[in-house]
Amino acid sequence: MEPRVNKNYIWLYFLSFYSLWCIRELWFVQYIDLMDSVLNAIISAIIKIIIWILPVILIVRTVEKQNVLSYLGLRDHYKKGLIWTVWGTTALILYFFILNLIVLENDIGFNLSINELLNTVLLVGITEEIVFRGFLLRKLMDSNSFWQANILTSLLFVSIHFPIWIYKGLFELPYILASMATAFVLGIIFGFIYRKSNSLWSVIILHSLYNFLVSIYY
């Protein structure tokens, strides 16, 4: 009989993870911003992989003693994941099209920097969904109902944005309230889609697509 895993370690993990990310976002970022654009993008990507992905892989393998890809939802249910990805992609594109081009009459610009392409679009879906939906939501569901776990994970997802909002001075009302509400609602939606599709790839793609659409409308 295998020993039971202590469920409380998840909070020690998150506190450690959050502390490291605050150091990166509130202190080390000032040095990264001094680098040229290409080096900035590469160093930022490496740091995020080290802080976000590597600890999860280590914990799943050594503490949970599970196959990493299976545990996170990265190996199976491709067909169901594809169906939810198609529906989600359609809904996102229609939403942004109606809101930005028709209601707000915003312009579209595809001149994204290499840092935006690598870290805001491509990497963000992988890193953030592995931590929040693939690991935290999955782990919290061991001792909570899905909706309890989803709400809690979404609140944690909101909290991880605080350091960058603080660094960029974006805590003015009503901007911060709108940003918190948006992050929370997205967390709920991504959690729901992950639960229904059983595939983390679906929310990885949708998360990256959302960030891409945010980046090109201005």
Side-chain angles (χ1 to χ4, degrees):
M1 182 177 180
E2 295 184 0
R4 297 181 64 183
V5 177
N6 185 349
K7 298 176 181 179
N8 293 325
Y9 84 82
I10 194 71
W11 299 113
L12 177 61
Y13 155 77
F14 187 78
L15 180 61
S16 302
F17 158 70
Y18 198 93
S19 298
L20 286 174
W21 192 242
C22 282
I23 293 173
R24 187 266 183 237
E25 293 286 75
L26 296 176
W27 175 70
F28 194 61
V29 65
Q30 61 185 315
Y31 301 104
I32 298 176
D33 286 346
L34 296 176
M35 303 174 184
D36 68 80
S37 59
V38 175
L39 186 58
N40 182 317
I42 294 173
I43 294 298
S44 296
I46 292 173
I47 292 174
K48 192 158 190 179
I49 290 171
I50 291 173
I51 294 177
W52 290 65
I53 297 181
L54 294 187
V56 170
I57 293 175
L58 183 63
I59 290 172
V60 173
R61 292 188 64 180
T62 61
V63 180
E64 297 295 331
K65 301 186 186 307
Q66 300 284 337
N67 178 278
V68 175
L69 296 180
S70 296
Y71 189 91
L72 298 176
L74 291 167
R75 192 169 72 173
D76 305 306
H77 308 289
Y78 295 117
K79 184 176 180 180
K80 185 183 289 187
L82 178 61
I83 293 172
W84 279 95
T85 301
V86 171
W87 281 110
T89 297
T90 303
L92 271 180
I93 292 175
L94 284 175
Y95 167 76
F96 272 87
F97 177 82
I98 294 172
L99 176 64
N100 289 280
L101 295 184
I102 298 178
V103 178
L104 300 178
E105 297 183 348
N106 290 332
D107 294 322
I108 299 178
F110 292 97
N111 55 334
L112 303 182
S113 68
I114 184 172
N115 189 48
E116 288 176 309
L117 285 172
L118 179 59
N119 292 296
T120 304
V121 177
L122 295 178
L123 193 60
V124 71
I126 298 173
T127 55
E128 296 189 6
E129 291 310 317
I130 281 178
V131 169
F132 283 96
R133 258 57 66 176
F135 182 59
L136 287 174
L137 177 59
R138 168 79 167 74
K139 187 61 185 171
L140 289 171
M141 284 172 58
D142 288 347
S143 53
N144 298 275
S145 69
F146 164 71
W147 282 110
Q148 288 174 332
N150 196 25
I151 290 172
L152 183 53
T153 303
S154 299
L155 290 172
L156 296 178
F157 182 61
V158 172
S159 74
I160 202 61
H161 292 83
F162 286 171
I164 191 63
W165 289 336
I166 292 173
Y167 178 73
K168 291 186 175 181
L170 301 177
F171 260 79
E172 298 87 356
L173 295 175
Y175 177 87
I176 188 60
L177 293 179
S179 298
M180 290 172 64
T182 299
F184 179 76
V185 171
L186 284 174
I188 292 292
I189 292 173
F190 291 154
F192 176 78
I193 292 175
Y194 179 50
R195 173 71 167 175
K196 288 295 184 179
S197 67
N198 292 314
S199 172
L200 193 65
W201 289 113
S202 58
V203 286
I204 285 175
I205 294 171
L206 291 175
H207 193 150
S208 291
L209 174 64
Y210 176 86
N211 280 30
F212 173 72
L213 293 172
V214 169
S215 299
I216 65 173
Y217 285 106
Y218 63 94

